[in-house]
Amino acid sequence: QSTWGHITVFMAYLKKLQLGTKSQMKSSAVRGLRASLLETYPQIAGAMDDLLPKKETVYSIKTMIPERGTLYAVGNDILFFQPKGDVVYPVLRVLHMYPSIMARVQVDAGAIKHVLKGSNIMCPGLTSAGGDVSVDLPEGAPVAVYAEGKEHALCIGKLAKSTAAIRAENSDIGVLNMNCLGDGLWAAPTCD
């Protein structure tokens, strides 16, 4: 549990997003961001020039929280976020535009209301009749969380345990809710 503490604080605080300093990124830092995204999400390669165009200004925005995090914006549009010490995640709006960039898991219909309130996703919601964790992924992998019977993702998450462990143990938290419909990142898509 303690290894996820900084992420839990970050996610709780995103409900009331407070932005800190906004700095223009140097081209070398943007290249590093692109490389990090390509390493974590190989399927994003085809969309990279749309998301991080070479001629556009990219900003890093520090979030004002006890455990720091960073948002990345092109112009004023927030496209990515990174809790301290973690990988870079696309915001949910980016996932809706490019749904194939992340691995996918599915929750049952009963979990929808809890996920939309920002709750982490319990293993039984992933392994029940409406859930799906059939793809093999390691602990800590970023995932797009879809809901039974819905077309678009309702949250971006991080596996708290491997999908094999989720299927085998079927208890405790399976996915940490990183960005969901209605949270601070969804409600404030720009950094004006």
Side-chain angles (χ1 to χ4, degrees), residues 2 40-41 51 59 64 67 71 86-87 92 97 107-108 117 131 156 159 164 170 173 176 190 192:
S2 63
T40 307
Y41 312 102
L51 294 170
Y59 296 97
M64 298 172 57
E67 294 289 335
L71 305 176
D86 203 353
V87 299
L92 198 52
M97 291 188 303
V107 297
D108 61 21
K117 290 180 183 176
I156 290 176
L159 290 177
N170 198 24
I173 296 171
L176 299 169
T190 63
D192 293 341

Side-chain angles (χ1 to χ4, degrees), residues 13-158:
Y13 210 81
L14 282 181
K15 292 177 182 177
K16 294 182 179 177
L17 187 64
Q18 293 185 4
L19 303 179
T21 58
K22 177 179 174 181
S23 306
Q24 182 174 338
M25 294 177 68
K26 294 181 178 180
S27 60
S28 59
V30 175
R31 282 193 303 274
L33 176 61
R34 290 171 71 97
S36 174
L37 288 167
L38 286 169
E39 181 181 333
T40 307
Y41 312 102
Q43 305 88 338
I44 204 170
M48 189 60 74
D49 287 336
D50 293 336
L51 294 170
L52 292 173
K54 295 187 185 213
K55 300 288 184 189
E56 291 287 327
T57 304
V58 180
Y59 296 97
S60 71
I61 304 135
K62 300 297 180 188
T63 55
M64 298 172 57
I65 58 175
E67 294 289 335
R68 300 257 179 228
T70 305
L71 305 176
Y72 298 100
V74 174
N76 282 328
D77 298 325
I78 299 170
L79 300 180
F80 303 100
F81 67 98
Q82 182 176 24
K84 184 177 181 181
D86 203 353
V87 299
V88 178
Y89 295 87
V91 296
L92 198 52
R93 292 178 193 280
V94 170
L95 181 62
H96 286 174
M97 291 188 303
Y98 302 99
S100 64
I101 62 174
M102 296 181 77
R104 175 183 174 142
V105 297
Q106 181 174 302
V107 297
D108 61 21
I112 295 172
K113 64 183 176 187
H114 302 291
V115 173
L116 293 178
K117 290 180 183 176
S119 297
N120 292 325
I121 301 162
M122 303 300 287
C123 292
L126 296 162
T127 58
S128 67
D132 180 17
V133 285
S134 57
V135 63
D136 285 326
L137 297 168
E139 177 181 344
V143 291
V145 180
Y146 287 78
E148 175 184 15
K150 303 297 179 192
E151 179 182 349
H152 297 290
L154 66 135
C155 107
I156 290 176
K158 178 176 183 168

